[in-house]
Amino acid sequence: MIGIYSHILLDFDDSAQTLDYAGSIARLAIEEGITKIIAKPHHKNEVFFNTKQSILEIVIEFNHVLHNENIPLEVLPGQEMRIYGSY
């Protein structure tokens, strides 16, 4: 199963604030049968501006952590983007 909405990435907007918490989210996802999660940090919501490159970099790093911790979850990059007239 694929989780299509998650704020699992460490230190992005209102996402996981510690590596332990992010790992807990990953373990809970696995327990629920999720094997892939699309990480969706906020972007262009008048508070957060998380660039594509910064998201790609942290996804790669976090997938390495998951692999090293033997957590069989793959995190895929995404963005929760607000699109409205002022942007």
Side-chain angles (χ1 to χ4, degrees), residues 19-29 71:
L19 190 54
D20 286 340
Y21 187 67
S24 295
I25 294 170
R27 286 181 186 88
L28 286 171
I71 300 172

Side-chain angles (χ1 to χ4, degrees), residues 8-85:
I8 193 170
L9 295 179
L10 189 63
D11 288 333
F12 272 85
D13 54 56
D14 57 357
S15 61
Q17 298 301 305
T18 67
L19 190 54
D20 286 340
Y21 187 67
S24 295
I25 294 170
R27 286 181 186 88
L28 286 171
I30 291 299
E31 287 176 18
E32 293 296 322
I34 295 170
T35 58
K36 297 179 190 305
I37 282 184
I38 301 172
K40 295 182 72 177
H42 296 289
H43 181 60
K44 289 190 174 180
N45 68 349
E46 297 181 353
V47 178
F48 301 107
F49 188 86
N50 293 308
T51 66
K52 173 184 174 181
Q53 190 59 40
S54 64
I55 293 168
L56 292 173
E57 289 171 8
I58 197 69
V59 164
I60 290 168
E61 290 175 24
F62 190 53
N63 278 320
H64 285 298
V65 169
L66 294 172
H67 177 76
N68 291 338
E69 295 289 323
N70 295 314
I71 300 172
L73 180 73
E74 179 183 5
V75 177
L76 304 169
Q79 286 179 320
E80 178 182 338
M81 183 174 237
R82 293 194 180 165
I83 301 173
Y84 42 88

